[in-house]
Amino acid sequence: MSGLQAKTMGLFAIVFSALVGIMLAVSPASAQKPPDAFTQEVLVKSTLLTFNDANVTGNYTVLHAKLSKPFRDAFPPERLKEVFKVFHDKRIDFDLIAAKPPVASKPAQVDDKGVLMLHGHFDTTPSRVYYELDYILSDGEWKPIRINVRLK
């Protein structure tokens, strides 16, 4: 094999490997599986505690930075402050969830669009913290695309 043939074969092998890697990386959304229970708990608590900190302080820049790109694009920090105004105005603070385990209302699942859905609550008193958190893979990790929190 000549030097040119060897270089061509080497380049082909690199391109082929890259294509296989890309094909594996963009597997169908339905083939994605939810992360393990520990990672789910980390996602839920980190999202809700960041959300809580934003509401307590009135500063939504850190929450904004941790959102998925589509969520960040649709909701700049000023808009987040408007949307979640009721939490800030009522001085709602539920940081005690850090010491409680989340209770899933249904098993975690990834839908056919690649959205990881984590829904449940925390057994807190005097009010329970209910959450519906949806995530997408953004910037190589699960990041929120939807945050819905209620206290009852």
Side-chain angles (χ1 to χ4, degrees):
M1 180 180 303
S2 74
L4 180 57
Q5 287 175 322
K7 286 181 184 176
T8 303
M9 291 300 289
L11 182 58
F12 173 76
I14 291 169
V15 171
F16 180 75
S17 295
L19 287 174
V20 169
I22 290 169
M23 288 170 38
L24 291 173
V26 293
S27 62
S30 59
Q32 294 177 359
K33 301 216 184 293
D36 61 48
F38 176 78
T39 303
Q40 291 175 36
E41 183 171 346
V42 169
L43 285 169
V44 168
K45 284 185 175 182
S46 65
T47 300
L48 291 178
L49 290 170
T50 302
F51 172 73
N52 187 65
D53 288 347
N55 292 320
V56 168
T57 65
N59 183 341
Y60 291 81
T61 55
V62 173
L63 174 64
H64 182 264
K66 290 186 170 191
L67 300 174
S68 63
K69 182 163 178 19
F71 201 161
R72 287 191 315 262
D73 290 347
F75 291 89
E78 303 78 35
R79 180 73 176 118
L80 291 172
K81 189 172 188 171
E82 291 171 22
V83 170
F84 299 123
K85 184 177 183 344
V86 68
F87 284 87
H88 179 72
D89 289 352
K90 291 186 177 185
R91 300 183 198 279
I92 294 171
D93 185 353
F94 52 79
D95 62 357
L96 61 115
I97 67 164
K100 302 270 189 182
V103 179
S105 59
K106 60 183 180 179
Q109 66 179 30
V110 178
D111 71 10
D112 59 350
K113 294 179 183 168
V115 177
L116 168 64
M117 295 173 282
L118 302 177
H119 301 178
H121 70 275
F122 285 87
D123 276 326
T124 52
T125 55
S127 301
R128 273 191 176 169
V129 177
Y130 290 86
Y131 62 87
E132 293 176 359
L133 303 172
D134 295 348
Y135 299 84
I136 61 170
L137 286 174
S138 179
D139 304 320
E141 58 188 85
W142 290 111
K143 292 190 177 182
I145 189 69
R146 185 174 79 97
I147 298 173
N148 183 13
V149 178
R150 299 178 320 279
L151 279 77
K152 288 186 180 179

